[in-house]
Amino acid sequence: MASNQPLVSGSATPKTQTSNVDRPKKRRVRRVRSAPLAHFAPTDANGDDDALLRSESIFGRLNPTLKKVALSLTVIVYMGLGTICFYTIRNQIKGKKTNAILDALYFCVVTMTTVGYGDLVPNSNLAKLLACAFVFTGMALIGLILAKAADYLVEKQEKLLFRALHMYKKDGEIEVLKEVEHNRVKYKFYTTSILLVVFVVTGTIFLYKVEKLDLVDAFYCVCSTITALGYGDISFSSKGGRVFAVFWILTGTICVAKFFLYVAEVNTENRQRALVKWVLSRRTTSLDLEAADLDNDGVVGAAEFVLFKLKEMGKICQQDISVIMEEFEELDLDQSGTLTVSDIALAQSVETRSSYNDIYRRKE
């Protein structure tokens, strides 16, 4: 019966106790080979229903390059729309002005990044309402799109940083990928730290050379800008300064946000690794074996021991196991306690019939 089977199929089920001579000293735990996704298509010849069954999210199937293009176009459209809107009501915005189009673009950037120097401010109800709309949509744009673009750029620099730190080693591409994957958060933290220093130095030098500020005021303006503090007592006032600010403010504020995010992730990862090290180094007791015996048969198999250790490390919880076991029981239609290719095929055929029935009911 299924109730007498161990929690996870594949672990050693001790039906009889064999001697140490008859069985090997160690039981090998086989690694699960990652299988490709099975694209199951029903064999019934019905063009409309077949298309409905196989139709998934079009955007989910987009090529990664097309996704990047779509994200870039979204940013461009947003910036263009904001520039047009603020240019149209340019007379309803007061403050230090240079060029009408440049000022509109600059105002759009300082609004969406919540810097808000105060050198340009809305001076009418319409301008204030537009500013309110663009500040919310701009924050969403930064969080959803520009942050992903920043992640992409940071990941591109991870390999370069790794090779720079390990120039004396002759590691191949596979070794580089393994090392970067294992220390992904750490290398992201290093990369954003370097980029942050570059942005601060670049902004300080630019303000010192172009805006003619002294070094302290230039550094002060840089810090108040990239942290979105924006006191407004010092800002970009020249044409060249605002052209530079349009690009520098966007990248700088996102870089700071990513930096503090990775600081938190590094701290969390270090605590997680410390917990894992403690779990693996401490001695296993009889109470641990009792807790690991999930099927209460008096013997702890390899799968049960692995699940117990993963739970102890905090990598999974009982709810995760319960959800997975529910899926296992749904696939195990014959209630044998094991899964075979025939079980998967049978489960898929049942699911397909259910999908067809749902389609027919919706048509009726």
Side-chain angles (χ1 to χ4, degrees):
M1 297 296 291
S3 59
N4 296 328
Q5 297 294 332
L7 178 63
V8 178
S9 176
S11 61
T13 305
K15 296 180 180 178
T16 57
Q17 297 291 335
T18 59
S19 64
N20 293 334
V21 178
D22 296 334
R23 68 178 182 181
K25 293 182 179 180
K26 285 189 176 181
R27 185 179 301 278
R28 291 186 301 168
V29 179
R30 294 188 179 92
R31 295 184 179 181
V32 179
R33 295 176 297 174
S34 57
L37 294 176
H39 300 287
F40 176 78
T43 55
D44 294 8
N46 191 330
D48 296 334
D49 296 338
D50 181 70
L52 286 172
L53 283 174
R54 289 181 294 174
S55 63
E56 298 178 359
S57 174
I58 298 176
F59 297 102
R61 292 185 175 184
L62 280 179
N63 185 279
T65 303
L66 295 179
K67 287 184 180 180
K68 295 169 190 173
V69 172
L71 295 179
S72 301
L73 289 176
T74 303
V75 175
I76 293 173
V77 170
Y78 175 85
M79 299 292 292
L81 182 61
T83 302
I84 293 173
C85 290
F86 291 123
Y87 175 79
T88 304
I89 61 169
R90 61 189 180 278
N91 295 327
Q92 302 176 37
I93 298 176
K94 66 177 182 179
K96 301 176 183 178
K97 297 184 179 181
T98 57
N99 177 271
I101 298 179
L102 178 59
D103 289 344
L105 179 60
Y106 169 76
F107 183 73
C108 181
V109 171
V110 297
T111 299
M112 70 182 290
T113 56
T114 69
V115 173
Y117 288 119
D119 51 352
L120 292 175
V121 293
N123 195 31
S124 68
N125 291 334
L126 176 60
K128 291 176 181 178
L129 290 175
L130 278 176
C132 292
F134 271 89
V135 71
F136 280 106
T137 54
M139 292 174 66
L141 187 69
I142 290 177
L144 298 177
I145 297 179
L146 294 182
K148 289 186 178 180
D151 282 335
Y152 173 76
L153 293 177
V154 169
E155 289 174 0
K156 283 293 184 181
Q157 303 303 317
E158 285 181 15
K159 293 181 184 179
L160 296 177
L161 178 62
F162 173 80
R163 291 200 178 277
L165 295 175
H166 302 80
M167 292 180 62
Y168 59 92
K169 294 182 180 180
K170 296 182 179 179
D171 294 326
E173 184 69 17
I174 297 179
E175 286 74 15
V176 171
L177 292 176
K178 287 181 179 180
E179 175 67 18
V180 171
E181 183 64 29
H182 183 261
N183 298 292
R184 177 171 295 276
V185 177
K186 183 175 70 173
Y187 283 113
K188 283 185 176 181
F189 170 73
Y190 291 157
T191 304
T192 51
S193 300
I194 295 172
L195 290 176
L196 182 58
V197 172
V198 171
F199 281 121
V200 170
V201 172
T202 303
T204 303
I205 294 175
F206 184 89
L207 287 168
Y208 176 74
K209 293 290 186 180
V210 178
E211 297 290 336
K212 305 303 180 182
L213 301 177
D214 59 52
L215 285 177
V216 174
D217 287 341
F219 180 72
Y220 163 76
C221 181
V222 165
C223 293
S224 63
T225 299
I226 61 178
T227 56
L229 186 59
Y231 284 119
D233 50 345
I234 301 176
S235 60
F236 296 87
S237 57
S238 64
K239 289 184 180 180
R242 290 187 174 178
V243 171
F244 173 79
V246 166
F247 301 98
W248 182 81
I249 291 176
L250 278 174
T251 52
T253 51
I254 294 174
C255 182
V256 170
K258 287 296 179 182
F259 171 77
F260 287 110
L261 173 64
Y262 294 142
V263 167
E265 288 188 0
V266 167
N267 184 45
T268 302
E269 187 178 75
N270 288 338
R271 287 191 284 112
Q272 178 64 33
R273 289 185 177 181
L275 175 62
V276 170
K277 184 178 180 180
W278 175 80
V279 169
L280 295 178
S281 61
R282 77 179 188 87
R283 293 183 177 180
T284 303
T285 64
S286 57
L287 293 177
D288 294 331
L289 291 180
E290 183 179 351
D293 187 13
L294 299 177
D295 53 7
N296 298 319
D297 63 350
V299 178
V300 176
E304 291 174 314
F305 187 74
V306 169
L307 287 176
F308 171 73
K309 284 296 182 180
L310 289 176
K311 288 172 62 178
E312 201 173 24
M313 293 175 186
K315 293 184 179 295
I316 60 173
C317 62
Q318 185 59 44
Q319 184 178 2
D320 298 329
I321 299 175
S322 300
V323 172
I324 296 173
M325 288 306 301
E326 287 178 5
E327 180 181 359
F328 180 89
E329 291 171 359
E330 289 177 359
L331 294 174
D332 185 22
L333 296 179
D334 58 357
Q335 298 183 351
S336 63
T338 59
L339 293 181
T340 62
V341 176
S342 59
D343 291 328
I344 303 299
L346 181 60
Q348 287 179 341
S349 63
V350 172
E351 182 179 355
T352 302
R353 287 196 297 269
S354 177
S355 300
Y356 273 123
N357 292 334
D358 292 340
I359 292 172
Y360 292 145
R361 280 196 295 268
R362 285 196 296 266
K363 283 187 175 182
E364 293 175 357

